[in-house]
Amino acid sequence: MSAEFDVLIVGGGIAGASLAAQLVPENRVLILEAEDHCGYHSTGRSAAFYLESYGGPAVAPLTRASHDFLDSPPHDFAELGFLRRRGALHLARGEWPEVPEGVPAERVDRPAIERMVPGVRTEWDRAMFEPGCSDIDVARLHSTYLSAFGRAGGRIATRSRVIRAHRVSDGWSVRLADGQALTGKTLVNAAGAWADQLAEIAGVEPLGLQPKRRTMVQLRIGRSGLKDLPLVDDWRGSFYFKGEGDSSVWLSPHDEIDCAPCDSAPEEIDVAIAIDRFESVVDWPVERVERSWAGLRTFAPDRRPVYGFDSREPNFFWCAGQGGFGIQTAPAAAKLAALLLTGGQPDPTLGEIDPENYSPGRFG
Ligand SMILES: Cc1cc2nc3c(=O)[nH]c(=O)nc-3n(C[C@H](O)[C@H](O)[C@H](O)COP(=O)(O)OP(=O)(O)OC[C@H]3O[C@@H](n4cnc5c(N)ncnc54)[C@H](O)[C@@H]3O)c2cc1C
C-alpha cells in the first residue's frame, strides 16, 4: 500500500509552516498540529524582533540570509514586508559591549544614551547601537506561510496530536489521539518543545533538546513617547525591553528556566524580577502590569538548531532546536531544510550557510 502523503510535518508553528510552504506543490504534505490553531505555543509568544547579533556565530548566517525575504518578500508571497526598523541599544556599565564581528553597530556614549532613552540611570554609561534591529510581524509572517501552503495544495489538520509513530515499508504510520491513522513517506519533527518527546514516540534516539521558559511582561508606564524606543538590553543578558504603545513596554528578565514541554505560564517571581531589573535601568514610574505571558525556547546541547535526516533512522527529519531565534531565521532555515529533505538544487540566498553546522549527526 503506498503512503497517503509524501511528508507528514508534526507541528504547525513557524518551523513547520515555513518548511511546509517550501515543499508544495511538488510534494503531498500534511501538517499535523495538536492544538486548535497553529502558532499557539512558542510562535505565538515571541518578543518579535530581528537582531543579527543574537544567537552566536552559527545562527547569524541563517538570520542574515533571512533578512531580504523578511524585509521585501517575493510579491507572490506577500505585498508588504514583515520588518519595521527599530534599532537596538546594548547597554553596559563601565565597559564597551561586544557585538559579533561583521554586525553593523556603533559606540554610544552617555549623553547619546540619555537622548535615546531619557531617564536611564547614570551607571549605564556605555552602549553599542545596532541599527538593523527590527520588529517582525510574526502573526502575519506565520499566517502568510500557512496561506501559501494551503493555496499550493497543502493540508493542515489541527486538533491532531500524534501519539504513536512506527516505521512501515514505505515510510511511517502515525496514530493520532482521536484514533485516526495516517501514512507518510517522511516524518518531519517540527514539534518545538516536544521534539525529543516526538522522537521517543517514533522510536528515534532523542538529541537532548531542552525547553527553557522565558517570561514577558507588558507594563503600563507613567510617561508617553515610548512606542519607537529602541530595543534596550543589558549586553550581559539580564533584561530587555522595547516600546509597545505610547505608554507601554514589553519587558523580559531574560530568564531561561529548564522545564518539561507544556503550555507555559509566567511565574509571579519572574514578573517581579523583571520589574525590579527594569526599575534599576530607568526612573520611569511603573503603573501596572497589563499582561504577562511565557513561552518555551528549545535548545540543542550546543544551542545550534537541528536540520536534517536522523543519522540512524531514515525518513525521520529534524527541524527543531530553534531556541530564541526561530522567527528571524525561519525563511532561510525553511529553504535549507527543504533542500536537505528533497535533495533539490542549492539556493543562492543560502550562500554562506554550511548545513553540517546543523546536522543531527553531530550528536553522534
Ligand atoms: C518569550 C519568547 C520570546 C522570543 N522572542 C523571539 C524573537 O524576538 N525573535 C525570534 O526570532 N524568536 C524568538 N523566540 C523564539 C521563537 O518563538 C521560537 O524559536 C519559534 O517560535 C519556534 O517555532 P516552532 O515552530 O519550532 O515551535 P512552536 O511554535 O512551539 O510549534 C511547535 C508545535 O508543535 C506542536 N506539537 C508538539 N507535539 C505535537 C504532537 N505530538 N502532535 C502534533 N503537534 C504537536 C505544538 O502544539 C506546537 O504548536 C522567542 C520565544 C519566546 C518563548
Side-chain angles (χ1 to χ4, degrees):
M1 204 177 80
S2 68
E4 296 158 278
F5 293 93
D6 296 312
V7 186
L8 294 173
I9 297 182
V10 183
I14 193 74
S18 54
L19 172 57
Q22 294 292 326
L23 295 173
V24 284
E26 294 80 7
N27 299 281
R28 295 166 300 160
V29 183
L30 172 67
I31 295 177
L32 294 163
E33 168 54 53
E35 303 292 349
D36 290 354
H37 69 269
C38 296
Y40 175 76
H41 288 289
S42 305
T43 299
R45 305 174 190 211
S46 87
F49 54 75
Y50 173 100
L51 185 64
E52 196 182 321
S53 60
Y54 180 76
V59 171
L62 289 170
T63 305
R64 269 198 293 277
S66 297
H67 179 272
D68 289 355
F69 184 96
L70 291 170
D71 196 42
S72 44
H75 286 302
D76 58 349
F77 184 74
E79 280 177 16
L80 296 173
F82 300 94
L83 298 183
R84 181 174 167 271
R85 193 62 84 90
R86 178 184 282 281
L89 192 67
H90 307 297
L91 290 178
R93 290 176 281 203
E95 59 183 347
W96 287 108
E98 284 164 27
V99 171
E101 220 182 299
V103 176
E106 64 208 40
R107 286 184 170 188
V108 180
D109 59 13
R110 174 71 200 173
I113 295 172
E114 275 170 40
R115 279 197 300 279
M116 294 167 101
V117 188
V120 64
R121 297 196 188 277
T122 47
E123 72 252 39
W124 300 95
D125 57 354
R126 297 187 197 183
M128 292 293 278
F129 183 66
E130 188 178 333
C133 174
S134 301
D135 289 347
I136 309 174
D137 188 342
V138 179
R140 191 163 59 83
L141 177 66
H142 182 230
S143 65
T144 306
Y145 271 125
L146 290 175
S147 312
F149 172 63
R151 277 199 311 276
R155 286 179 49 196
I156 303 170
T158 52
R159 297 182 202 172
S160 298
R161 182 177 300 280
V162 174
I163 54 163
R164 278 218 305 275
H166 66 270
R167 288 298 313 268
V168 289
S169 60
D170 194 21
W172 292 88
S173 169
V174 304
R175 187 163 293 277
L176 306 183
D178 67 4
Q180 233 190 113
L182 294 156
T183 54
K185 291 182 194 164
T186 297
L187 186 61
V188 172
N189 183 353
W194 289 264
D196 263 1
Q197 232 176 55
L198 182 76
E200 280 173 347
I201 284 171
V204 174
E205 187 78 19
L207 300 180
L209 293 161
Q210 178 62 58
K212 293 173 186 277
R213 188 177 69 238
R214 171 145 296 179
T215 309
M216 299 291 302
V217 188
Q218 182 171 315
L219 295 179
R220 184 80 185 175
I221 307 293
R223 66 180 292 150
S224 57
L226 304 180
K227 189 167 173 41
D228 294 323
L229 273 183
L231 171 75
V232 180
D233 65 23
D234 166 15
W235 89 283
R236 293 213 169 260
S238 65
F239 66 82
Y240 61 77
F241 59 87
K242 66 175 186 177
E244 161 61 10
D246 191 43
S247 298
S248 60
V249 295
W250 278 12
L251 163 72
S252 172
H254 211 271
D255 48 345
E256 247 189 40
I257 297 155
D258 286 3
C259 55
C262 64
D263 187 356
S264 182
E267 301 274 334
E268 269 179 43
I269 180 72
D270 297 319
V271 173
I273 290 171
I275 295 172
D276 188 54
R277 292 183 182 168
F278 180 73
E279 289 179 330
S280 75
V281 187
V282 282
D283 64 6
W284 307 343
V286 173
E287 291 186 339
R288 64 177 184 276
V289 174
E290 290 185 321
R291 66 187 181 109
S292 59
W293 67 99
L296 300 178
R297 299 152 73 249
T298 300
F299 291 92
D302 58 7
R303 294 178 78 96
R304 284 188 244 148
V306 190
Y307 301 115
F309 282 106
D310 187 78
S311 53
R312 295 193 190 89
E313 191 59 67
N315 301 336
F316 186 91
F317 190 92
W318 291 87
C319 180
Q322 289 88 350
F325 42 80
I327 314 288
Q328 65 181 34
T329 55
K335 286 181 195 168
L336 176 71
L339 276 177
L340 294 169
L341 201 149
T342 60
Q345 289 300 309
D347 183 314
T349 63
L350 301 179
E352 61 170 329
I353 293 170
D354 179 1
E356 280 305 307
N357 278 333
Y358 316 114
S359 159
R362 70 189 191 266
F363 300 110

